[in-house]
Amino acid sequence: MEEESKASEENTSDNASKHSMWVEKYRPKAFADIKGQKDILTKVKAFISQKNMPHLMFAGPAGVGKSTTALVIARELFGEQWRENFLELNASDERGIDVVRTKVKDFARTRAMGNVPFKIIFLDECDALTKEAQQALRRTMENYTQTTRFVLSCNYSSKIIDPIQSRCTVFRFKPLEKEQMFEIFDKIAKEEKIQIDKSGKEALYICSEGDCRKAENILQSCAAVATKITEDEIYSLASVAKPKEVNEFLNLALQNKFIPAREKLLETMLKYGLSGSDIIKQIQKEVWNLQIADPEKVRLVDKCGEIEFRMTEGSDEFLQLEALLAQFTLHAMKK
Ligand SMILES: Nc1ncnc2c1ncn2[C@@H]1O[C@H](COP(=O)(O)OP(=O)(O)OP(=O)(O)O)[C@@H](O)[C@H]1O
Ligand SMILES: [Mg+2]
């Protein structure tokens, strides 16, 4: 990780940057570049201006700026020397908590440089730690409080034991909003000299669901193929069906046209290479856009949940999808 960001900084020559990952190339280096997460940034900035900070816990979905914020904190606090004062570890590393402990020990032995009284240890994917490992981590945190501050990152704070949570100030990161994602897309498009119109940006937003890393990766893959990026390309690269197409077969089913609906469903799945559970998630989202009464939407969404569960339990995908479509058609027949 440390090496990755080092590499992205050094890759400023045109040729090298062409080959670097955009997620690293466009990782914000200052607070001003981090989109959204306003409340969190305000509080974090206050910690930095006081050169004092509690242990922090960043919880939230993937690709919304948790690691980025931790890196920016280090840059702001330590300036040029941030690398010497920032240790990034991955908690889910197969070598386990013992390695974490040894590394922390080595790192925490020396004092921080400059006028900041502590170094920062960033521990990614903490929710992957077992309860026992979390207990060990808790002791490690206590032992080195004099010289270090921990920033823990996880997707679900509920998976972190209470004694750790109570030692940290918990910040909950949110998925980025559409406008914020669009700003990021526009910036990248300008820098990389690619064209992406509004429908393309919409598609990218829908496919990534507020996960910025995912969006940037899809965009980079599309850009490798063409400089003018279309919505079609994005959907096919992201393996996501166009919402319009999902809407089409659902509407066919709602109009009592079961066979054509089934054909269209199969065609869509083949076209985008979707699995049963992929398409169910999209159907579930699209139910809300159908022209039916709200209680019916709720009932159908409930059905989606049930069918998805049956699929994960190993039931035949196509059989289950047909059963789901049948529910839509039954709705039509009731009228
Ligand atoms: N709030 C944001 N503003 C601008 N860019 C962002 C933001 N969040 C994410 N990104 C972009 O997405 C990339 C990945 O973000 P980051 O590593 O911070 O995700 P994360 O929240 O740590 O996710 P994970 O839980 O998967 O580790 C960044 O390099 C950056 O390009
Ligand atoms: Mg991260």
Side-chain angles (χ1 to χ4, degrees), residues 4-23:
E4 267 173 43
S5 54
K6 214 181 270 177
S8 76
E9 262 174 29
E10 281 152 14
N11 282 348
T12 39
S13 83
D14 246 16
N15 201 23
S17 69
K18 234 178 243 169
H19 302 289
S20 66
M21 295 275 292
W22 288 2
V23 282

Side-chain angles (χ1 to χ4, degrees), residues 23 26-27 34-35 62-68 184 212-213 216:
V23 282
Y26 294 102
R27 188 189 285 283
I34 301 178
K35 307 279 178 207
V64 296
K66 299 185 299 297
S67 302
T68 305
I184 296 172
C212 210
R213 181 188 298 112
E216 288 176 6

Side-chain angles (χ1 to χ4, degrees), residues 231-246:
E231 127 188 76
D232 285 350
E233 228 164 345
I234 291 168
Y235 282 118
S236 90
L237 243 157
S239 292
V240 173
K242 273 193 197 175
K244 204 173 106 233
E245 288 172 81
V246 177

